[in-house]
Amino acid sequence: QVQLVESGGGLVQPGGSLRLSCAASGFTLDYARIGWFRQAPGKGREGVSCISSRDGSTYYADSVKGRFTISRDNAKETVYLQMNSLKPEDTAVYYCATLPLCCSGYKCRFDSWGQGTQVTVSS
């Protein structure tokens, strides 16, 4: 059974940084396309970032490109999202998810996801 457990969210000031972690179990992380999506109140799910299973290619939404970095540690079965230069518009619940195909933006499909972690960017 696929399980994804996110952690690392919190309240941060604009310009600050956070690192989200996702502990994965129930499947082989090496072979999975895995990433993050976020959902703000009243908005749809936005695929933020994804890392592919084969060559480790990474994908980012335009809204976070240059500020967020996704990485994976297969030995620890953990995926990370380093978020720098955070903006108030990054405020959302962030979910770790497996995807059938890596993508970014509002048209992504997600197979499984965790319970989410709240990120609030505010002064």
Side-chain angles (χ1 to χ4, degrees):
Q1 182 181 356
V2 173
Q3 280 199 319
L4 300 164
V5 180
E6 303 93 339
S7 61
L11 173 64
V12 63
Q13 292 187 339
S17 298
L18 282 175
R19 188 176 81 156
L20 305 184
S21 299
C22 171
S25 62
F27 64 102
T28 304
L29 186 60
D30 308 40
Y31 302 145
R33 298 176 185 89
I34 191 162
W36 297 85
F37 70 86
R38 64 188 181 185
Q39 189 161 24
K43 293 191 175 181
R45 294 175 178 175
E46 180 187 16
V48 171
S49 184
C50 180
I51 185 165
S52 70
S53 55
R54 294 194 173 186
D55 59 6
S57 297
T58 55
Y59 301 75
Y60 296 97
D62 288 343
S63 57
V64 307
K65 208 169 286 184
R67 301 187 296 121
F68 290 13
T69 303
I70 190 171
S71 61
R72 64 198 293 167
D73 185 333
N74 291 335
K76 294 183 178 179
E77 296 185 302
T78 302
V79 180
Y80 304 98
L81 186 68
Q82 178 67 44
M83 307 186 296
N84 298 329
S85 301
L86 283 161
K87 304 175 181 180
E89 50 264 44
D90 294 318
T91 296
V93 180
Y94 284 71
Y95 298 85
C96 177
T98 58
L99 299 87
L101 193 65
C102 260
C103 71
S104 60
Y106 287 95
K107 296 184 178 180
C108 296
R109 279 181 51 217
F110 307 99
D111 289 331
S112 301
W113 52 91
Q115 83 288 350
T117 186
Q118 176 71 47
V119 171
T120 303
V121 185
S122 174
S123 55

